[in-house]
Amino acid sequence: MVASSFNWIADLGETVHDALVSLGAFTVFVGRLWYWLLVSVPRWDTLMPNLYQVGVRSLPVVALTGTFIGMVLSVQSYAQFRQLGLETRLGAVINLSLVRELGPVLAATMLAGRVGSAMAAELGTMRVTEQIDALSVMGVNPIKYLVVPRFLACFFMIPILTIMADFMGVCGGFFYSVIVLGIDKFHYLENSAVFVTGFDLISGIAKSVFFGGAIALVSCYQGFNSEGGAEGVGKAATSSFVYSFVGILILDLFLGIAIQNLQSFLYPGGTKLL
Amino acid sequence: MIDMVNTAEQPLIRVEKLTIRFGHQTVLKNIDLAVPDGQTLALIGESGCGKSVLIKTLVGLLEPVKGKVEFDGHDMHKLNEKELAGLRQRFGFVFQNAALFDSMTVGQNVAFPLEQLGDFSPSEVREQVLERLHEVGLPKNVVTKSPAELSGGMRKRVAVARALIVNPEVLLYDEPTTGLDPVMSDVINELIIRTRRRTPVTSIVVTHDMHTVRRVADRVVMLSPYARLAGGQPQILFDGTPEQLDQTTDRRVRQFVNGEAGERLLELAGDTSN
Ligand SMILES: Nc1ncnc2c1ncn2[C@@H]1O[C@H](COP(=O)(O)OP(=O)(O)OP(=O)(O)O)[C@@H](O)[C@H]1O
Ligand SMILES: [Mg+2]
């Protein structure tokens, strides 16, 4: 009786303990990856397929979602801005939200769903079928051989995907606002040009690099540590997406705050939207 | 005779007081084993007794909770990653489930260890691959197939070819003939013997196949599942030559060698009646 009423304390303790152990293991994993990133250059023939998978194969879906987000932004904000007679400001609103937030986050989300879970599943299968052990036994470091190229591929390709999402979003927003809703083209573009600065574009792309790195780390870690056959691999794939997505949003908040501070430090006057 | 095989001056592999546990399950306890240079040792024992665990520990894939494994004077579990990788290149390891890389073709699988060494031209590698596949009785046209397109027995033989291609000093075979037809089993037995004749290789062959034991082994070691031992009994039930296997008086060893279920049937009947 006494024992059972204190069970939750034990459960809580166990949960905290497990979480700390996983955090420690993840930190060690990241540390080992850093080591291999610093001391070795991956061979082109292991890097290339990953760049292709992460970059080229993700472009269509990123382009498609980017276009639609651009149009949706236009649909959603038009009515409000029209009431104020400020519909040409849509150019600023849509494009600013795209390059600062939606482009990078969208590209990262797509990458986490398309590439992250696939990486976790692939590495997870390699783990449970002992292919990772087979690599180690041949004297090949699995972190160096499997994780480094995947990390680099995400790291280098996500800015390109972000630019694609930004670009297609801008096009989608322009198409819906100017062609469908008939907003004046000159002022739409004029407002975009005034309010969206190079800093906004660059800061969005800079953020995306962190997202890409986080996705690769989380997914590879999940794959590497999956156990228990097909079920474990499935779990690794799902949790890699969930953790990546949560990670993206948390990073986005903190990077957003940092970028905001940097911007008001660099451009104290700043431009005002309204 | 047993003493003679045990007291070579400097054994290549020395296992001392090795204890391995998974959670609360003790798999191996206080295992002592010394394998001299050039010996072919057959490791037998009932399913689940820890044979695979033991040979994986020899190459540092599993960490012991107690005891140590020395290879050529180095403690396998006290080396840094680089030293361990260097030593592992002196091993060839055939995994129980083959563990072929399924993202590569059969040819790439067999070539992989050789390419990691890096001192062979592509044509030399290709020639070696074909020769090794021929040795295990596989036709030329498997080179371009993916592992998924092969039968289980074919995969096993590819794994043997992959382990042999770098002419390692130590070969660890985990059930190399399980799942093969009698003719192909004998091809593999013959290959193990021939490899031994050609180079002074040290081998440990995990097997259930008494025919293989009698054909290839200089020495036989039989393990018992730890859970089946009464307190204090040694886990190594038998250590001697294949000829001595037939003279042993130990009931458990005799039953294993002759393939008799004995009192196990009674135990099973007891389990079902409960
Ligand atoms: N990664 C692991 N995690 C937990 N338990 C394990 C693990 N690997 C092996 N075991 C346990 O260790 C014991 C020995 O396993 P092992 O694979 O060495 O058996 P084996 O002697 O090779 O059997 P078989 O002849 O069937 O291959 C088993 O009871 C198994 O449950
Ligand atoms: Mg086994």
Side-chain angles (χ1 to χ4, degrees):
Chain A
M1 196 59 210
V2 178
S4 73
S5 59
F6 284 104
N7 262 350
W8 67 272
I9 298 183
D11 289 348
L12 183 70
E14 200 174 316
T15 312
V16 172
H17 174 263
D18 288 352
L20 286 177
V21 168
S22 314
L23 189 67
F26 184 67
T27 313
V28 171
F29 182 81
V30 174
R32 291 177 64 200
L33 173 63
W34 275 117
Y35 170 78
W36 285 109
L37 278 172
L38 293 177
V39 301
S40 72
V41 182
R43 284 164 46 161
W44 180 243
D45 53 346
T46 60
L47 190 56
M48 228 291 286
N50 286 296
L51 291 174
Y52 181 75
Q53 231 347 291
V54 173
V56 179
R57 299 293 298 272
S58 304
L59 270 184
V61 61
V62 167
L64 189 75
T65 42
T67 316
F68 276 89
I69 285 292
M71 295 197 289
V72 167
L73 279 176
S74 170
V75 173
Q76 294 293 348
S77 20
Y78 177 68
Q80 332 266 309
F81 279 78
R82 200 197 146 91
Q83 282 175 359
L84 301 170
L86 290 173
E87 59 262 43
T88 54
R89 289 287 165 98
L90 276 188
V93 173
I94 294 172
N95 295 331
L96 204 56
S97 356
L98 274 170
V99 298
R100 290 192 70 136
E101 276 304 322
L102 291 169
V105 170
L106 203 69
T109 310
M110 282 297 151
L111 195 70
R114 216 195 76 82
V115 174
S117 352
M119 278 179 183
E122 191 186 356
L123 295 185
T125 307
M126 292 188 74
R127 164 64 73 202
V128 301
T129 56
E130 298 182 316
Q131 292 175 52
I132 292 183
D133 288 340
L135 277 176
S136 314
V137 169
M138 292 173 195
V140 177
N141 187 288
I143 302 256
K144 174 182 164 193
Y145 184 77
L146 297 172
V147 182
V148 166
R150 283 171 173 76
F151 178 84
L152 289 177
C154 287
F155 191 81
F156 286 123
M157 283 299 147
I158 201 171
I160 295 173
L161 295 175
T162 302
I163 291 170
M164 186 62 159
D166 288 352
F167 174 74
M168 294 308 284
V170 168
C171 291
F174 178 84
F175 167 79
Y176 201 85
S177 308
V178 174
I179 314 248
V180 179
L181 298 174
I183 296 171
D184 177 60
K185 180 172 148 198
F186 175 78
H187 287 103
Y188 181 90
L189 291 177
E190 171 82 5
N191 272 321
S192 306
V194 170
F195 288 106
V196 184
T197 62
F199 182 87
D200 296 315
L201 184 67
I202 301 291
S203 69
I205 294 171
K207 270 202 305 200
S208 75
V209 172
F210 288 88
F211 299 158
I215 292 166
L217 285 176
V218 169
S219 309
C220 291
Y221 175 79
Q222 290 293 332
F224 245 64
N225 290 285
S226 62
E227 45 190 36
E231 194 194 342
V233 174
K235 233 162 68 187
T238 318
S239 48
S240 84
F241 180 73
V242 174
Y243 290 136
S244 298
F245 193 52
V246 173
I248 290 167
L249 295 180
I250 294 174
L251 274 177
D252 194 31
L253 175 66
F254 287 105
L255 290 170
I257 295 170
I259 287 167
Q260 207 65 52
N261 288 337
L262 182 65
Q263 190 172 21
S264 35
F265 174 73
L266 290 178
Y267 312 101
T271 46
K272 298 278 182 299
L273 199 56
L274 288 172
Chain B
M1 193 65 196
I2 299 178
D3 280 339
M4 209 190 84
V5 279
N6 252 328
T7 52
E9 283 179 2
Q10 175 66 45
L12 188 61
I13 301 170
R14 184 205 294 278
V15 175
E16 265 173 34
K17 299 252 167 294
L18 190 73
T19 300
I20 305 240
R21 240 175 257 143
F22 293 105
H24 298 293
Q25 182 197 6
T26 300
V27 177
L28 297 174
K29 182 144 188 187
N30 283 334
I31 301 286
D32 287 304
L33 189 69
V35 186
D37 206 349
Q39 190 170 66
T40 302
L41 184 152
L43 187 59
I44 60 173
E46 72 178 71
S47 186
C49 69
K51 305 180 294 297
S52 300
V53 167
L54 178 57
I55 62 168
K56 280 182 194 165
T57 313
L58 295 185
V59 289
L61 285 177
L62 294 171
E63 288 285 322
V65 285
K66 243 177 55 198
K68 65 176 179 179
V69 174
E70 262 181 27
F71 172 68
D72 202 8
H74 306 276
D75 186 334
M76 287 299 269
H77 297 92
K78 291 228 169 70
L79 301 171
N80 65 32
E81 266 180 62
K82 208 164 180 177
E83 293 165 333
L84 185 59
L87 280 191
R88 277 170 169 173
Q89 285 187 332
R90 297 165 62 182
F91 283 85
F93 198 110
V94 179
F95 283 83
Q96 188 166 1
N97 64 9
L100 301 181
F101 304 123
D102 45 30
S103 59
M104 303 179 190
T105 65
V106 167
Q108 288 168 333
N109 262 285
V110 179
F112 188 83
L114 209 53
E115 281 167 351
Q116 294 308 311
L117 295 181
D119 14 79
F120 298 91
S121 72
S123 65
E124 281 173 321
V125 170
R126 208 186 132 68
E127 201 176 302
Q128 282 273 325
V129 167
L130 289 177
E131 190 187 320
R132 297 305 171 143
L133 286 173
H134 180 72
E135 276 182 346
V136 295
L138 288 168
K140 269 196 176 124
N141 65 5
V142 297
V143 171
T144 52
K145 289 197 169 154
S146 81
E149 294 171 289
L150 302 186
S151 76
M154 289 164 93
R155 278 201 284 272
K156 203 52 162 288
R157 286 184 277 153
V158 174
V160 173
R162 182 175 73 175
L164 289 177
I165 197 163
V166 286
N167 296 319
E169 285 168 58
V170 184
L171 275 160
L172 306 175
Y173 303 89
D174 200 344
E175 306 196 9
T177 58
T178 305
L180 299 187
D181 62 79
V183 175
M184 272 309 150
S185 294
D186 209 45
V187 168
I188 299 296
N189 291 339
E190 189 56 39
L191 181 62
I192 296 174
I193 297 167
R194 227 170 341 120
T195 310
R196 167 72 191 86
R197 247 186 248 130
R198 201 168 49 196
T199 53
V201 64
T202 309
S203 322
I204 298 181
V205 186
V206 173
T207 186
H208 292 299
D209 184 346
M210 292 327 269
H211 185 68
T212 301
V213 172
R214 297 210 158 84
R215 288 252 350 229
V216 308
D218 308 325
R219 174 182 173 195
V220 185
V221 169
M222 178 165 167
L223 285 181
S224 159
Y226 181 72
R228 296 191 65 82
L229 291 172
Q233 280 179 316
Q235 203 174 354
I236 294 183
L237 295 180
F238 177 87
D239 185 348
T241 62
E243 294 75 41
Q244 288 170 330
L245 260 186
D246 300 319
Q247 293 140 28
T248 179
T249 50
D250 191 311
R251 189 177 37 82
R252 294 163 299 183
V253 180
R254 294 200 65 84
Q255 280 176 352
F256 188 86
V257 172
N258 299 329
E260 294 158 359
E263 74 273 11
R264 288 305 188 79
L265 285 176
L266 295 174
E267 283 173 26
L268 287 174
D271 281 347
T272 46
S273 66
N274 283 342

